[in-house]
Amino acid sequence: MTDKQAAKQAKRRALQEKFSAKLTERVEEIDLSWQAVSHRPGSLGLEHPFYRQVHSLAGAAGTFGYTGLGVCAREIEQILLEFTEGHHPDDRFIEQISTALEELRNLAARGADSDYSSNRIPGYMSTGKAGDQPLVYILEDDTELASELSNQLALFGYQACPFDSDEAILAAHQHQPADALIIDIVLPEGDLHGTEIAPRLQSAGAVHAPLIFISRRADWQARLAALRAGADAYFTKPLDLTQLVETLEQLLERQHYDPYRILIVDDDPLLAGHYATVLREADMETFELNDPAQLLEVLPEEKPDIILMDLYMPGCTGIEAAQIIRQQPIYQGLPIIFLSTETGVKQQLDALRLGGDEFLQKPISDAHLVEAVSIRAARFRTLKNLMVRDGMTGLLNHINFKLALEREVSLATRRHSQLTVVMIDIDHFKQINDRFGHPTGDRVIKTIAWLLKQRLRNTDIIARYGGEEFAVILPDTSITDARDLIDNIRDQFSGIVFTHDEASFHVALSGGIAGLEARHDADALIAAADEALYEAKQTGRNQVIMKSG
């Protein structure tokens, strides 16, 4: 066990000890509340201290290793919920609660029934980029649970800050808006108070933050209230942290998408500049081109999501330019929006038939332009991801990696710049699937994909080349720098602990690297990197070999 792992276990043990130290007091408070209300159960409701105390224990116990205790508290909560929904508090109701409370006391006295301090979440590791941690605010009145949730999120690269009051989280969110919010539904102020404070928090922040509700409640009314409060996700306690982290990543990726990239082609520099200004104000990136003859040089460099092009330009019409663009297979799906004063329906239809995707008539309002471009760009990105990315990892698939490499080789050749290709393979992957099953193997694949995305630059291109093999394009990178980088990632990955049931294991990687200097086409570059990978596998695995020459 590493020092870091030992420190994490020590922190877990300390938290569990803190929970255990207060457990007797919590159970006594539940008993006292029941004694105070048992002779007049008609006054019981979701606002009553007895319900709130049981609800809090049901949510926290399982998280801190008291699984049976949590189940028992949940059963009491269910009896109370049935009562509040119109059942009469008869003698049977009193007997059910009394019997369950006796079991609750016994379970609390026995101590924890699962090894909380050594819990590890399969398939993930704490390797977030330093200084690039998403900020998550947590509103949870159970301080032990909030602290544990914060610590666990930190393992996944999040900066999590727990709060136990409206005032504190509101002040923090106004001062520094969170990237995401996690709020318990049931708070001391009310049964659905979390859904009431959420809109105030969203109003206090500079932008809308993804909102996740957590609760011990799984009933329809709680979920409906959360939905109406703007919930992006809803999790019941004890929390499935793996799923929560995956949801957070999806929400934050959607929230912090890369700006749409728009290439404006118009022979009028002023008009092109106007469109560019309008779109930039809408947080898009724009590139202006006044001569369509330069399109084939500009497209691989700027990689636009959309081409916004004038229909009539001297020397080459927009339709002719579109037809030339469509001659390149990689640009068959790239949206082209024509701008023109043309009012003839036939001419507009011809423009669409011969390569365009949409026709906007000049003059066009700023709002209309932004809306039309945004809708088309969003649809293009969605379809592009479905077509070019691997469903499991979100990385480029095999064929689109090769297309991307052809573009990068062409660009690097024109620029006389360096370019390196890396092939990576998971060692003994079949043994992992055979021993632990395909779901565990899938977690290993997702983990290396996640690590590569975390460690590499936005300008680098990562693909799942096939099965357990990955490929990476590193522009403007020497072969020796690439070797050092990939070897560091290999070393980091080999230290990750994966788990399956009671077993834990490590996984190694092998890598092969080749540079463009001695090769002049994409196929030769891939072949050289593959040859280096084969050598790495044949000479011991768990290493990176570079093919220089």
Side-chain angles (χ1 to χ4, degrees):
M1 180 187 300
T2 66
D3 292 343
K4 192 172 184 180
Q5 290 170 336
K8 290 175 186 175
Q9 285 200 12
K11 186 177 290 187
R12 278 176 163 270
R13 279 192 294 269
L15 286 167
Q16 187 181 44
E17 288 168 3
K18 187 176 180 181
F19 175 84
S20 300
K22 293 184 177 181
L23 183 56
T24 300
E25 181 181 343
R26 292 178 75 160
V27 173
E28 288 175 353
E29 288 175 351
I30 291 173
D31 273 335
L32 290 172
S33 295
W34 173 244
Q35 291 171 20
V37 77
S38 58
H39 61 284
R40 47 184 178 86
S43 63
L44 268 172
L46 299 183
E47 300 296 329
H48 195 279
F50 180 63
Y51 174 79
R52 289 202 45 74
Q53 291 159 358
V54 171
H55 169 85
S56 177
L57 185 61
T63 303
F64 289 99
Y66 289 76
T67 306
L69 183 67
V71 171
C72 183
R74 176 59 178 157
E75 290 173 354
I76 298 173
E77 187 181 12
Q78 283 296 112
I79 296 171
L80 293 173
L81 285 172
E82 290 177 7
F83 162 68
T84 59
E85 291 172 359
H87 295 267
H88 185 70
D90 53 16
D91 291 341
R92 181 173 174 273
F93 169 79
I94 302 293
E95 183 181 352
Q96 280 183 308
I97 295 290
S98 299
T99 301
L101 284 175
E102 182 177 358
E103 178 66 9
L104 191 79
R105 288 189 289 270
N106 292 335
L107 287 168
R110 287 180 202 162
D113 51 14
S114 63
D115 189 4
Y116 165 81
S117 66
S118 63
N119 282 346
R120 288 191 299 269
I121 300 171
Y124 288 91
M125 61 289 174
S126 56
T127 53
K129 290 180 181 178
D132 191 25
Q133 296 178 309
L135 179 60
V136 180
Y137 288 162
I138 303 167
L139 180 58
E140 169 61 69
D141 61 310
D142 188 326
T143 55
E144 289 95 340
L145 182 60
S147 178
E148 168 61 6
L149 180 55
S150 299
N151 292 332
Q152 288 296 309
L153 287 175
L155 298 179
F156 298 99
Y158 293 91
Q159 181 185 350
C161 300
F163 301 90
D164 59 5
S165 72
D166 297 359
E167 294 76 14
I169 193 171
L170 277 167
H173 197 49
Q174 287 173 335
H175 176 70
Q176 183 178 4
D179 295 301
L181 300 167
I182 299 176
I183 301 176
D184 197 349
I185 291 280
V186 182
L187 295 167
E189 293 82 358
D191 181 46
L192 294 173
H193 185 70
T195 63
E196 297 166 2
I197 187 64
R200 292 174 59 195
L201 278 168
Q202 295 289 27
S203 299
V207 295
H208 178 90
L211 173 61
I212 296 176
F213 282 109
I214 58 175
S215 181
R216 192 58 227 176
R217 292 185 60 176
D219 58 284
W220 178 268
Q221 290 303 321
R223 292 180 179 274
L224 181 61
L227 178 68
R228 290 173 174 172
D232 293 292
Y234 191 105
F235 288 88
T236 55
K237 302 176 183 177
L239 298 175
D240 181 343
L241 194 59
T242 299
Q243 187 60 52
L244 190 146
V245 170
E246 288 183 358
T247 300
L248 261 180
E249 289 181 350
Q250 292 167 2
L251 291 173
L252 289 171
E253 183 177 357
R254 184 178 71 191
Q255 183 79 2
H256 300 107
Y257 61 86
D258 291 332
Y260 297 136
R261 299 170 63 85
I262 315 300
L263 177 60
I264 301 168
V265 185
D266 198 310
D267 62 301
D268 186 337
L270 290 177
L271 200 52
H274 167 74
Y275 297 144
T277 299
V278 170
L279 296 175
R280 280 198 297 267
E281 289 175 352
D283 297 323
M284 302 184 202
E285 292 184 3
T286 62
F287 313 92
E288 301 168 46
L289 185 62
N290 302 127
D291 181 5
Q294 300 175 18
L295 270 167
L296 296 184
E297 296 178 12
V298 171
L299 283 173
E301 294 187 21
E302 305 301 351
K303 302 180 180 66
D305 295 304
I306 277 183
I307 297 176
L308 188 65
M309 186 156 53
D310 191 14
L311 189 60
Y312 296 114
M313 295 177 289
C316 176
T317 68
I319 293 177
E320 290 171 333
Q323 289 178 298
I324 292 174
I325 291 170
R326 298 300 190 213
Q327 291 172 357
Q328 319 298 310
I330 58 175
Y331 300 129
Q332 284 286 339
L334 179 62
I336 298 175
I337 297 178
F338 287 123
L339 276 166
S340 176
T341 56
E342 177 63 64
T343 58
V345 174
K346 181 181 183 303
Q347 288 77 7
Q348 293 182 10
L349 291 175
D350 285 343
L352 300 180
R353 180 174 55 84
L354 296 172
D357 294 278
E358 192 166 347
F359 192 100
L360 299 178
Q361 189 169 340
K362 298 178 183 178
I364 183 171
S365 71
D366 295 350
H368 187 181
L369 177 65
V370 169
E371 189 73 10
V373 170
S374 298
I375 291 171
R376 183 65 67 174
R379 187 174 301 152
F380 171 68
R381 282 198 176 176
T382 299
L383 293 174
K384 181 180 177 182
N385 282 337
L386 289 172
M387 292 186 295
V388 307
R389 297 198 175 273
D390 169 61
M392 180 189 298
T393 63
L395 303 179
L396 282 182
N397 58 28
H398 179 103
I399 187 170
N400 284 284
F401 172 82
K402 298 189 76 170
L403 291 172
L405 182 57
E406 289 176 2
R407 292 196 300 270
E408 293 298 326
V409 167
S410 176
L411 186 60
T413 301
R414 288 202 310 274
R415 288 179 171 178
H416 303 289
S417 58
Q418 294 178 315
L419 181 73
T420 302
V421 167
V422 183
M423 303 300 290
I424 298 170
D425 190 78
I426 301 174
D427 293 340
H428 301 299
F429 186 70
K430 184 178 184 301
Q431 295 179 19
I432 296 170
N433 277 336
D434 291 345
R435 182 178 176 188
F436 302 111
H438 288 277
T440 299
D442 290 348
R443 286 202 302 272
V444 173
I445 288 173
K446 289 179 182 178
T447 301
I448 181 58
W450 183 86
L451 179 59
L452 288 169
K453 286 188 282 189
Q454 287 290 313
R455 290 294 309 275
L456 299 179
R457 305 165 298 184
N458 290 335
T459 53
D460 299 329
I461 297 170
I462 317 168
R464 184 181 178 194
Y465 201 67
E468 67 273 22
E469 192 171 9
F470 298 82
V472 179
I473 303 171
L474 300 172
D476 301 309
T477 305
S478 70
I479 189 170
T480 53
D481 287 344
R483 178 198 58 197
D484 293 342
L485 171 64
I486 300 302
D487 196 54
N488 183 270
I489 293 174
R490 177 205 58 78
D491 183 63
Q492 183 178 354
F493 185 75
S494 68
I496 297 169
V497 179
F498 292 91
T499 61
H500 175 76
D501 294 335
E502 298 300 318
S504 62
F505 60 96
H506 296 266
V507 181
L509 301 174
S510 296
I513 301 177
L516 182 64
E517 295 90 342
R519 297 157 194 91
H520 303 289
D521 64 80
D523 290 337
L525 203 50
I526 291 174
D530 254 334
E531 187 178 338
L533 173 62
Y534 180 79
E535 183 179 343
K537 303 286 276 189
Q538 293 298 308
T539 57
R541 294 185 169 85
N542 195 22
Q543 60 180 324
V544 177
I545 299 292
M546 63 180 187
K547 195 74 174 177
S548 55

PDB file of all heavy atoms in Angstrom, residues 408-421:
ATOM      1  N   GLU A 408      -3.316  15.754 -40.283  1.00  0.00           N
ATOM      2  CA  GLU A 408      -2.202  16.259 -39.477  1.00  0.00           C
ATOM      3  C   GLU A 408      -0.867  16.091 -40.196  1.00  0.00           C
ATOM      4  O   GLU A 408       0.018  16.949 -40.096  1.00  0.00           O
ATOM      5  CB  GLU A 408      -2.166  15.544 -38.114  1.00  0.00           C
ATOM      6  CG  GLU A 408      -3.357  15.856 -37.216  1.00  0.00           C
ATOM      7  CD  GLU A 408      -3.444  17.333 -36.854  1.00  0.00           C
ATOM      8  OE1 GLU A 408      -2.387  17.985 -36.703  1.00  0.00           O
ATOM      9  OE2 GLU A 408      -4.580  17.841 -36.724  1.00  0.00           O
ATOM     10  N   VAL A 409      -0.699  14.993 -40.916  1.00  0.00           N
ATOM     11  CA  VAL A 409       0.532  14.799 -41.688  1.00  0.00           C
ATOM     12  C   VAL A 409       0.644  15.862 -42.768  1.00  0.00           C
ATOM     13  O   VAL A 409       1.718  16.456 -42.976  1.00  0.00           O
ATOM     14  CB  VAL A 409       0.560  13.381 -42.311  1.00  0.00           C
ATOM     15  CG1 VAL A 409       1.664  13.280 -43.362  1.00  0.00           C
ATOM     16  CG2 VAL A 409       0.776  12.327 -41.228  1.00  0.00           C
ATOM     17  N   SER A 410      -0.457  16.134 -43.464  1.00  0.00           N
ATOM     18  CA  SER A 410      -0.461  17.165 -44.499  1.00  0.00           C
ATOM     19  C   SER A 410      -0.127  18.527 -43.913  1.00  0.00           C
ATOM     20  O   SER A 410       0.681  19.286 -44.481  1.00  0.00           O
ATOM     21  CB  SER A 410      -1.832  17.197 -45.181  1.00  0.00           C
ATOM     22  OG  SER A 410      -1.894  18.250 -46.121  1.00  0.00           O
ATOM     23  N   LEU A 411      -0.707  18.829 -42.776  1.00  0.00           N
ATOM     24  CA  LEU A 411      -0.465  20.125 -42.135  1.00  0.00           C
ATOM     25  C   LEU A 411       0.977  20.246 -41.656  1.00  0.00           C
ATOM     26  O   LEU A 411       1.642  21.271 -41.870  1.00  0.00           O
ATOM     27  CB  LEU A 411      -1.432  20.288 -40.957  1.00  0.00           C
ATOM     28  CG  LEU A 411      -1.445  21.632 -40.234  1.00  0.00           C
ATOM     29  CD1 LEU A 411      -1.811  22.753 -41.194  1.00  0.00           C
ATOM     30  CD2 LEU A 411      -2.419  21.591 -39.066  1.00  0.00           C
ATOM     31  N   ALA A 412       1.485  19.205 -41.003  1.00  0.00           N
ATOM     32  CA  ALA A 412       2.858  19.243 -40.501  1.00  0.00           C
ATOM     33  C   ALA A 412       3.870  19.328 -41.636  1.00  0.00           C
ATOM     34  O   ALA A 412       4.907  19.989 -41.513  1.00  0.00           O
ATOM     35  CB  ALA A 412       3.132  18.007 -39.644  1.00  0.00           C
ATOM     36  N   THR A 413       3.573  18.663 -42.748  1.00  0.00           N
ATOM     37  CA  THR A 413       4.474  18.717 -43.900  1.00  0.00           C
ATOM     38  C   THR A 413       4.553  20.130 -44.459  1.00  0.00           C
ATOM     39  O   THR A 413       5.643  20.630 -44.778  1.00  0.00           O
ATOM     40  CB  THR A 413       3.995  17.737 -44.995  1.00  0.00           C
ATOM     41  OG1 THR A 413       3.960  16.405 -44.449  1.00  0.00           O
ATOM     42  CG2 THR A 413       4.928  17.765 -46.187  1.00  0.00           C
ATOM     43  N   ARG A 414       3.401  20.792 -44.582  1.00  0.00           N
ATOM     44  CA  ARG A 414       3.400  22.162 -45.099  1.00  0.00           C
ATOM     45  C   ARG A 414       4.098  23.124 -44.150  1.00  0.00           C
ATOM     46  O   ARG A 414       4.775  24.054 -44.560  1.00  0.00           O
ATOM     47  CB  ARG A 414       1.958  22.641 -45.330  1.00  0.00           C
ATOM     48  CG  ARG A 414       1.273  22.003 -46.513  1.00  0.00           C
ATOM     49  CD  ARG A 414       0.108  22.867 -47.004  1.00  0.00           C
ATOM     50  NE  ARG A 414      -0.792  23.255 -45.926  1.00  0.00           N
ATOM     51  CZ  ARG A 414      -1.813  22.512 -45.494  1.00  0.00           C
ATOM     52  NH1 ARG A 414      -2.023  21.334 -46.056  1.00  0.00           N
ATOM     53  NH2 ARG A 414      -2.599  22.933 -44.538  1.00  0.00           N
ATOM     54  N   ARG A 415       3.936  22.879 -42.859  1.00  0.00           N
ATOM     55  CA  ARG A 415       4.518  23.787 -41.856  1.00  0.00           C
ATOM     56  C   ARG A 415       5.965  23.430 -41.517  1.00  0.00           C
ATOM     57  O   ARG A 415       6.619  24.167 -40.791  1.00  0.00           O
ATOM     58  CB  ARG A 415       3.689  23.715 -40.567  1.00  0.00           C
ATOM     59  CG  ARG A 415       2.325  24.363 -40.650  1.00  0.00           C
ATOM     60  CD  ARG A 415       1.632  24.190 -39.307  1.00  0.00           C
ATOM     61  NE  ARG A 415       0.397  24.953 -39.212  1.00  0.00           N
ATOM     62  CZ  ARG A 415      -0.413  24.934 -38.152  1.00  0.00           C
ATOM     63  NH1 ARG A 415      -0.096  24.169 -37.110  1.00  0.00           N
ATOM     64  NH2 ARG A 415      -1.505  25.649 -38.133  1.00  0.00           N
ATOM     65  N   HIS A 416       6.409  22.262 -41.981  1.00  0.00           N
ATOM     66  CA  HIS A 416       7.736  21.752 -41.609  1.00  0.00           C
ATOM     67  C   HIS A 416       7.846  21.617 -40.082  1.00  0.00           C
ATOM     68  O   HIS A 416       8.864  21.960 -39.472  1.00  0.00           O
ATOM     69  CB  HIS A 416       8.845  22.663 -42.143  1.00  0.00           C
ATOM     70  CG  HIS A 416       8.804  22.861 -43.622  1.00  0.00           C
ATOM     71  ND1 HIS A 416       9.134  21.873 -44.517  1.00  0.00           N
ATOM     72  CD2 HIS A 416       8.421  23.934 -44.363  1.00  0.00           C
ATOM     73  CE1 HIS A 416       8.983  22.315 -45.746  1.00  0.00           C
ATOM     74  NE2 HIS A 416       8.541  23.570 -45.691  1.00  0.00           N
ATOM     75  N   SER A 417       6.765  21.118 -39.473  1.00  0.00           N
ATOM     76  CA  SER A 417       6.726  20.970 -38.015  1.00  0.00           C
ATOM     77  C   SER A 417       6.808  19.492 -37.630  1.00  0.00           C
ATOM     78  O   SER A 417       6.645  18.603 -38.460  1.00  0.00           O
ATOM     79  CB  SER A 417       5.444  21.580 -37.450  1.00  0.00           C
ATOM     80  OG  SER A 417       4.296  20.983 -38.025  1.00  0.00           O
ATOM     81  N   GLN A 418       7.056  19.251 -36.359  1.00  0.00           N
ATOM     82  CA  GLN A 418       7.194  17.880 -35.862  1.00  0.00           C
ATOM     83  C   GLN A 418       5.825  17.254 -35.631  1.00  0.00           C
ATOM     84  O   GLN A 418       4.842  17.936 -35.320  1.00  0.00           O
ATOM     85  CB  GLN A 418       8.003  17.877 -34.565  1.00  0.00           C
ATOM     86  CG  GLN A 418       9.448  18.312 -34.748  1.00  0.00           C
ATOM     87  CD  GLN A 418      10.196  18.331 -33.434  1.00  0.00           C
ATOM     88  OE1 GLN A 418       9.697  18.829 -32.433  1.00  0.00           O
ATOM     89  NE2 GLN A 418      11.407  17.794 -33.430  1.00  0.00           N
ATOM     90  N   LEU A 419       5.758  15.943 -35.755  1.00  0.00           N
ATOM     91  CA  LEU A 419       4.533  15.190 -35.520  1.00  0.00           C
ATOM     92  C   LEU A 419       4.907  13.784 -35.074  1.00  0.00           C
ATOM     93  O   LEU A 419       5.767  13.142 -35.679  1.00  0.00           O
ATOM     94  CB  LEU A 419       3.685  15.124 -36.797  1.00  0.00           C
ATOM     95  CG  LEU A 419       2.345  14.378 -36.675  1.00  0.00           C
ATOM     96  CD1 LEU A 419       1.351  15.205 -35.871  1.00  0.00           C
ATOM     97  CD2 LEU A 419       1.762  14.078 -38.059  1.00  0.00           C
ATOM     98  N   THR A 420       4.258  13.322 -34.014  1.00  0.00           N
ATOM     99  CA  THR A 420       4.571  11.997 -33.475  1.00  0.00           C
ATOM    100  C   THR A 420       3.287  11.187 -33.323  1.00  0.00           C
ATOM    101  O   THR A 420       2.240  11.732 -32.947  1.00  0.00           O
ATOM    102  CB  THR A 420       5.257  12.125 -32.095  1.00  0.00           C
ATOM    103  OG1 THR A 420       6.438  12.911 -32.237  1.00  0.00           O
ATOM    104  CG2 THR A 420       5.631  10.768 -31.551  1.00  0.00           C
ATOM    105  N   VAL A 421       3.378   9.904 -33.601  1.00  0.00           N
ATOM    106  CA  VAL A 421       2.250   8.989 -33.436  1.00  0.00           C
ATOM    107  C   VAL A 421       2.612   7.931 -32.398  1.00  0.00           C
ATOM    108  O   VAL A 421       3.742   7.418 -32.387  1.00  0.00           O
ATOM    109  CB  VAL A 421       1.868   8.314 -34.769  1.00  0.00           C
ATOM    110  CG1 VAL A 421       0.930   7.138 -34.533  1.00  0.00           C
ATOM    111  CG2 VAL A 421       1.197   9.321 -35.683  1.00  0.00           C
TER     112      VAL A 421
END
